[in-house]
Amino acid sequence: MPDAQPADEQLAVELTDEQLAVELIARTDYGRVATSLHALPFLALTRHIVADGRVLLRMARNFGYHQACAGSIVAYGTDNLSSARPGEELWSVQIVGRCVTVEPTGAQLERFGFPPRLVDGQPYEPVYLGIEPQLHTVHAMDRGLERQFQHVL
């Protein structure tokens, strides 16, 4: 009987490259959105969920960062670098796509969970954004997942 493949390797075989990127994002709760703000590179920590192949973000309205994201092409990335269990492969994933303001459904709001009460000492006011992946990159260390970069129309 052949040896069973580790879960990450099996997942890589069963999913398309784009599906793999979105599936890996769904395994985490937080990531970073990258865009430009006043012509300078900018990163913001956000909570995310995956719904219907789109990545939905919840971020603080307080700082206005969402205004730099909405209507722009952004990059969104996450990884398991600090959460991988012993023996589990390390991976990072990034998607690139147009970011738009969205109104999440009640079920999606439940999946986001309770927002924080405060951000930098001020009441947290959430805003929701969606990214439709157009480009994606998956990197893995050691085995299984191959470096992937593909343009998806």
Side-chain angles (χ1 to χ4, degrees), residues 12-13 15-18 20-21 24 92-94 135-140 144-151:
V13 171
L15 297 177
T16 67
D17 295 341
E18 180 183 9
L20 175 61
L24 290 171
S92 68
V93 63
Q94 173 183 288
L135 296 171
H136 56 276
T137 308
V138 176
H139 295 282
L145 305 173
E146 294 178 0
R147 179 171 181 237
Q148 314 267 334
F149 185 80
Q150 178 178 355
H151 181 74

Side-chain angles (χ1 to χ4, degrees), residues 9-119:
E9 287 182 38
Q10 187 174 358
L11 181 67
V13 171
E14 295 172 0
L15 297 177
T16 67
D17 295 341
E18 180 183 9
Q19 289 170 327
L20 175 61
V22 173
E23 167 63 27
L24 290 171
I25 290 172
R27 291 183 183 191
T28 64
D29 293 330
Y30 292 89
R32 289 177 182 81
V33 64
T35 190
S36 64
L37 183 63
H38 306 294
L40 297 173
F42 171 76
L43 286 173
L45 176 69
T46 64
R47 169 78 169 95
H48 68 261
I49 63 169
V50 173
D52 301 320
R54 273 192 337 170
V55 177
L56 302 182
L57 310 178
R58 178 180 70 196
M59 63 190 311
R61 180 184 304 270
N62 307 44
F63 306 111
Y65 299 153
H66 64 287
Q67 294 170 338
C69 297
S72 299
I73 302 297
V74 302
Y76 188 74
T78 191
D79 58 58
N80 74 339
L81 301 179
S82 65
S83 63
R85 295 181 297 275
E88 185 177 359
E89 165 173 64
L90 297 176
W91 54 262
S92 68
V93 63
Q94 173 183 288
I95 60 165
V96 176
R98 185 161 194 77
C99 184
V100 297
T101 304
V102 297
E103 188 64 41
T105 66
Q108 291 167 343
L109 287 171
E110 278 187 42
R111 289 182 52 210
F112 273 111
F114 290 106
R117 278 188 335 100
L118 301 173
V119 60

